[in-house]
Amino acid sequence: MEPILYQWQLTRDNPFQIDEQLIPPGFENPRYDMHSAVHLGILRRGAMGNLTRRYDLFFTASWELHGRTRSPSGAELLLITVQPEALLDGIVDSRERVKNLLFLPSGNTPEPFRVAELQRRARAFCAAYRKRRKGPDPGCARQELWLDIVGLFHSAAVLTDLHSGGGARRKYPQLQPVFAALAELKHLPLPLAEAARMCCMSESYFAHLFRACTGISFGQYELAFRLNGAAAALQRGPVRLKQLAAEWGFYDASHFCRSYKRYFGVAPSRDRER
């Protein structure tokens, strides 16, 4: 099986990607997503979810389960996707605050960031992005954009109140073996006991820490990971449901179909036909 949810191919040498996204009116994304990269999104026009004002921002932490967005009116977004390790390498001042932002437990993120100064800086970033994109030297422009991105993340961390969840943030890196194991697709399904063993924790402590860091139980997260992976495989091309069930850790095709419909609201056969 090929790895999923690493569509940016980010490294320390290629630490970011910027996407301009046009969201059509009536847009609705029923699926979740999860990955090691972090997102910082800027609303340029329209409205989407809780983003209602121009230059409102939203943030998605590393491995945070996110998605299921909607936009009745349509929207225009600038989505910045960054490798967190490379970002921390670029921080000189207030590194701990930026690290707190990157490992912010789900549900604690100020969304959107209701800070006037941060919105002003987001507006300046959008203007600089347009200018640098039209420059004569793409390599130089990319280096300048990276400095702009580091500065924007630094501003987001410093200007936003991130006092809650500090204990969980400090311990968040202890969960990395589990996220890595899921991403490698070698331990599916991944039982709670095995996940706790990978992190050298008791089951009860691992379960407590995982919920504190992600906002949901490990069982919910692990199932969401497998179902979203199966959904992505369905979209890539024809595949037998029996094979899909085996690859993504379900007992059989019936078990997979029941879980899929309960989670997404439609049968996998319907998604396969789209």
Side-chain angles (χ1 to χ4, degrees):
M1 293 181 291
E2 59 186 68
I4 61 166
L5 306 176
Y6 279 91
Q7 56 266 50
W8 298 282
Q9 302 297 318
L10 299 179
T11 64
R12 277 185 164 87
D13 294 328
N14 179 41
F16 74 93
Q17 179 167 316
I18 300 178
D19 296 296
E20 297 180 88
Q21 297 186 343
L22 294 176
I23 311 298
F27 172 83
E28 184 170 355
N29 172 26
R31 308 200 189 286
Y32 282 122
D33 194 13
M34 59 196 79
H35 39 75
S36 61
V38 297
H39 289 318
L40 189 63
I42 303 172
L43 179 70
R44 297 203 290 194
R45 289 185 180 82
M48 191 178 76
N50 291 332
L51 306 177
T52 57
R53 303 178 303 176
R54 289 194 71 182
Y55 306 109
D56 271 348
L57 295 94
F58 70 89
F59 174 75
T60 302
S62 182
W63 291 112
E64 180 179 349
L65 189 65
H66 61 282
R68 291 203 170 177
T69 54
R70 62 178 59 189
S71 176
S73 61
E76 180 182 334
L77 295 175
L78 193 68
L79 185 65
I80 307 165
T81 306
V82 175
Q83 190 202 48
E85 295 83 3
L87 180 66
L88 287 174
D89 288 345
I91 297 295
V92 177
D93 180 39
S94 303
R95 192 173 189 271
E96 192 63 29
R97 289 192 181 187
V98 176
K99 188 175 181 180
N100 286 345
L101 176 65
L102 299 182
F103 297 134
L104 190 68
S106 299
N108 289 298
T109 308
E111 189 176 12
F113 293 122
R114 299 287 186 183
V115 181
E117 175 61 18
L118 184 54
Q119 289 178 311
R120 185 188 70 78
R121 298 190 187 196
R123 181 173 184 170
F125 178 90
C126 290
Y129 170 71
R130 288 193 296 267
K131 180 180 179 180
R132 300 195 196 289
R133 189 182 55 177
K134 298 177 181 178
D137 186 344
C140 181
R142 187 165 177 82
Q143 292 176 0
E144 292 172 342
L145 274 174
W146 176 237
L147 294 177
D148 292 341
I149 289 171
V150 171
L152 186 59
F153 269 90
H154 179 267
S155 297
V158 172
L159 294 173
T160 308
D161 183 8
L162 297 175
H163 297 301
S164 62
R169 285 196 298 272
R170 286 191 295 273
K171 297 175 181 178
Y172 192 98
Q174 297 177 24
L175 300 176
Q176 293 305 306
V178 164
F179 295 129
L182 287 173
E184 291 171 1
L185 307 179
K186 294 179 180 178
H187 303 272
L188 300 180
L190 181 59
L192 173 65
E194 178 65 12
R197 186 196 65 76
M198 288 177 176
C199 297
C200 302
M201 301 177 191
S202 68
E203 292 183 37
S204 59
Y205 181 71
F206 172 81
H208 170 76
L209 180 60
F210 195 91
R211 183 181 286 276
C213 287
T214 65
I216 61 174
S217 72
F218 175 72
Q220 290 174 307
Y221 187 99
E222 193 267 355
L223 178 61
F225 182 90
R226 290 190 287 129
L227 285 170
N228 277 277
L234 276 174
Q235 294 172 3
R236 285 196 294 268
V239 60
R240 295 177 59 192
L241 295 183
K242 182 178 180 180
Q243 175 187 351
L244 206 59
E247 288 180 346
W248 290 97
F250 295 91
Y251 297 120
D252 52 33
S254 296
H255 177 222
F256 168 66
C257 290
R258 288 195 304 271
S259 300
Y260 193 100
K261 186 172 183 179
R262 189 181 305 118
Y263 184 79
F264 290 119
V266 296
S269 57
R270 288 282 301 277
D271 271 356
R272 185 169 56 180
E273 293 167 0
R274 294 179 183 180

